[in-house]
Amino acid sequence: MAVSAPIRNRVLKLRAALHEHNYRYHVLDDPAISDAEYDRMFGELQHLEARYPELISADSPTLRAGAPPLKQFAPVNHKVAMLSLSNAFDESDVLAFDKRIRERAEIEEVEYVAEPKLDGLAVSLLYERGVLVVGATRGDGETGEDVTMNIKTIKSVPLRLRGKNIPEILEVRGEVFLTHAGFRKLNEDQRSKAGKLFVNPRNAAAGSLRQLDSRLTAQRPLEIFFYGVGRVTGKIPDTHRALLKAFKTWGLRVSPLADLVVGAEGCIEYYERIAKIRCRLSYDIDGVVYKVSDMSLQSKLGNISRAPRWALAHKFPAQEESTVVQGIEVQVGRTGAVTPVARLRPVFVGGVTVSNATLHNRREIERLDIRVGDTVMVRRAGDVIPEVVSVNTGKRPPHTRRFKFPDTCPVCGSEIVYEGEGIVARCSGGLYCSAQRKESIKHFASRRAMDIDGLGDKIVEQLVDKNLVQDAADLYSLTVEQLVGLERLAGKSAQNLVQSLERSKTTKLERFLHALGIGQVGETTAQQLAAHFG
Ligand code: 5U1
């Protein structure tokens, strides 16, 4: 029996509404309804399509839930090769790139579109008359894999384009990625079901996109930004900048950080601007990309081997590098927290030389099964403390031993107790433990607390080791005579330190409260207490 007109209309209405809300949520970042309302409409459409399968269409939002597993991915031949990018590692490479273009084009100044280079997975999406028909991985650039069902589960991928002037055949290219939060959530889910943990967001995105069962991909919080075109029949805008604008109106999400810059100078300024905010972005980037904006100039410049002459990836210093673990120790903090630390063969990563990396806690050591002698991947992102992200067990030397977390504090010998479901280890020695005493005095003297000029970490350590101070209060009885004997405190410096200590007595109540290091009283609480009690 034919499906009645009201039901057919209801299905069409639900589909149109879900497309619209998806666009508003993922592309405009301006949702108009609650998640619960969206889920209700989605459920209703799923129910109607299950009841009336003849109403299912290739662009139905219900496809985002995934489909039964495939046996293997079919190959997809990229009619226009998916090129890679030439790399620049310093400013001279960028100057040379801009110079080459100016000379070839015989122009004085070039406009570029600059945008972050996502550390994800390049994909190609083919739209025919506005409907998504094929989604493919890059593969070797000539032939990729057909991951259409998986691509359709990505909520920010439009299944049907919107707006005007859409070319009949439009192949768009972009990068699939996971945000840091998405990556963490995915690994938490994996851990809770004892599944394999992913090393980084890029690997997790790649693993998710290459799932034969798209219902699993649907559960992975994959995202996408679009940045270019492949095969196109019909007219597209004549600058890259206008193309990205058109993408947005068609429902294709583009990086909100894409910008027009002029000349090599503009490119380098952009690089520095993005490098500054890189650590605050919610996803990984490994550089920025510059593209000549004028499309006719792009065609004129053409390609050189596998990369276009009109584009350049300007890379950031690597945030991950491999090195060897030379030791594993535990450190005792101000509150007694015992943190395992890997001592590393020094390695240049994230722009600095790193020789220590945190191993966070006992559970992390168990997860990594890190051992002395292991080759590990170290990550340093922004100002975050360097950490070990993975162990290459294939390179493990023979006769290594599992690290055993100590039962007693390596500094004072007190028992180590466990909190937070046995994950957080704490030395029970309190101020009996010289490590805790040293750290609490360092905190007391620190810039945001009492701000005692000249009382550096090395001096605090000597003061405690030589029993000249037991706690912060003792600092105020120190004399120049006692101090001059210490390393790094010759003559005038000892006098200056005594003066700094004297000066620190006139401070704000909130600083003093913060300096005491009372549990749960951080800077903000200290300010509130001071404001309340005056
Ligand atoms: N942001 C961005 N990433 N990325 C990667 N743009 C960009 N362009 C690429 C690649 C491989 O290729 C161009 C040749 C389109």
Side-chain angles (χ1 to χ4, degrees), residues 5 82 179 222 313 375 450 506 514:
M82 287 184 78
T179 61
L222 293 172
T375 297
M450 297 296 276
T506 43
H514 172 51

Side-chain angles (χ1 to χ4, degrees), residues 151-195:
I151 292 278
K152 284 186 175 179
T153 69
I154 302 174
K155 297 196 178 64
S156 44
V157 164
L159 303 178
R160 171 187 286 279
L161 298 177
R162 46 188 297 128
K164 293 194 281 252
N165 304 326
I166 301 167
E168 175 143 332
I169 291 188
L170 175 68
E171 187 197 340
V172 289
R173 286 163 181 186
E175 198 91 353
V176 169
F177 64 99
L178 276 172
T179 61
H180 298 142
F183 170 65
R184 270 196 304 275
K185 183 175 173 306
L186 171 55
N187 261 356
E188 273 160 28
D189 291 350
Q190 291 291 101
R191 189 177 283 128
S192 70
K193 55 185 185 210

Side-chain angles (χ1 to χ4, degrees), residues 430-441 460 463-478:
L431 289 184
Y432 168 73
C433 177
S434 66
Q436 294 189 48
R437 283 207 305 280
K438 285 176 184 169
E439 294 308 313
S440 60
I441 296 172
V460 172
L463 289 172
V464 174
D465 289 340
K466 290 185 192 301
N467 262 327
L468 290 171
V469 298
Q470 293 288 330
D471 56 29
D474 292 344
L475 292 170
Y476 294 93
S477 317
L478 286 170

Side-chain angles (χ1 to χ4, degrees), residues 291-307:
K291 290 179 191 150
V292 169
S293 188
D294 181 339
M295 295 284 208
S296 59
L297 181 51
Q298 285 187 6
S299 322
K300 193 166 154 191
L301 290 165
N303 305 332
I304 164 171
S305 67
R306 313 284 326 130

Side-chain angles (χ1 to χ4, degrees), residues 59 126-133 159-161 166-170 233:
D59 68 340
L126 179 65
Y127 287 89
E128 284 179 4
R129 283 182 214 90
V131 177
L132 175 61
V133 288
L159 303 178
R160 171 187 286 279
L161 298 177
I166 301 167
E168 175 143 332
I169 291 188
L170 175 68
T233 62

Side-chain angles (χ1 to χ4, degrees), residues 275-347:
K276 274 206 195 100
I277 61 162
R278 179 189 190 188
C279 59
R280 292 200 295 277
L281 294 180
S282 59
Y283 44 82
D284 283 345
I285 60 173
D286 56 4
V288 297
V289 183
Y290 313 124
K291 290 179 191 150
V292 169
S293 188
D294 181 339
M295 295 284 208
S296 59
L297 181 51
Q298 285 187 6
S299 322
K300 193 166 154 191
L301 290 165
N303 305 332
I304 164 171
S305 67
R306 313 284 326 130
R309 275 201 194 87
W310 43 267
L312 185 72
H314 190 177
K315 304 287 280 256
F316 290 135
Q319 288 191 310
E320 287 190 7
E321 279 298 345
S322 145
T323 187
V324 173
V325 179
Q326 296 179 322
I328 301 174
E329 292 170 15
V330 295
Q331 267 177 356
V332 184
R334 173 167 66 88
T335 60
V338 179
T339 310
V341 181
R343 307 287 178 211
L344 307 168
R345 178 190 293 161
V347 59

